[in-house]
Amino acid sequence: MSTAVESSFFSRLPNVPLNAEAWEAVATGSMTEIPLLGNVSAGMPIEACIDHEHVTVPTSLVRRNTYALRVRGDSMIECDIFDGDIIIIEKTESAENGETAVVMINNREVTLKKLYIEKNGVRLQPANQSMQPIYLKNGDVQVLGLVMGVARRPAQAA
């Protein structure tokens, strides 16, 4: 099943911290279908479950191991990622300090947060001042990918 998304597309600017200024609009020319694997929480972590849908995005946002997730929650609003957005993820198993990553917690819950490796473990930091970070031991967190782009329906545009 393919999900038609009439959206505005945004690409993450290279070497810019992920915040509201980190995005540039992407022209829709050549389009490619990628798997939409389900939802990711931008709030409290949610149980990981895989859907078998697809979404069409600009080819310029697609790399070798690219997939998409639908955002649920508002913990990343200060990075200009909102509830209902579809994020384009580059699959990777590592992240640099401060990068916005999709992470799995305890092999079952998935969330979207800024990742910080600290002396006593890992801090998953929301980009929403009204929310508290999540602190975990190093072995409790697995990086699944980094945010490379966003698809937003026009009604959601900020």
Side-chain angles (χ1 to χ4, degrees):
M1 172 191 243
S2 181
T3 301
V5 179
E6 292 183 23
S7 302
S8 298
F9 296 95
F10 302 94
S11 177
R12 181 179 177 182
L13 293 167
N15 302 318
V16 175
L18 195 53
N19 58 31
E21 290 80 41
W23 303 103
E24 69 178 350
V26 174
T28 56
S30 175
M31 302 291 277
T32 302
E33 197 172 81
I34 61 172
L36 176 62
L37 297 183
N39 297 321
V40 64
S41 172
M44 292 305 296
I46 59 173
E47 195 77 26
C49 60
I50 296 179
D51 290 341
H52 297 285
E53 297 183 56
H54 288 82
V55 62
T56 303
V57 300
T59 302
S60 63
L61 294 177
V62 178
R63 292 178 179 69
R64 195 167 130 212
N65 292 308
T66 303
Y67 62 95
L69 294 167
R70 183 172 285 110
V71 175
R72 294 291 179 225
D74 60 1
S75 73
M76 300 306 291
I77 61 174
E78 292 165 16
C79 285
D80 209 28
I81 299 174
F82 299 96
D83 184 62
D85 283 352
I86 293 176
I87 53 174
I88 293 92
I89 304 296
E90 176 69 20
K91 183 178 179 180
T92 183
E93 295 178 358
S94 64
E96 297 291 324
N97 236 15
E99 285 191 299
T100 301
V102 174
V103 297
M104 183 176 285
I105 300 170
N106 297 320
N107 290 318
R108 71 188 169 129
E109 296 175 324
V110 180
T111 191
L112 174 67
K113 300 281 184 285
K114 288 184 181 253
L115 184 135
Y116 293 92
I117 299 165
E118 298 181 339
K119 184 178 177 180
N120 296 323
V122 175
R123 173 172 45 107
L124 301 177
Q125 182 69 45
N128 182 333
Q129 290 182 1
S130 70
M131 300 181 136
Q132 297 298 312
I134 299 169
Y135 294 95
L136 301 162
K137 296 177 191 167
N138 285 328
D140 295 342
V141 177
Q142 176 187 358
V143 175
L144 300 177
L146 299 176
V147 177
M148 303 309 289
V150 175
R152 180 170 301 137
R153 289 190 167 90
Q156 294 170 244

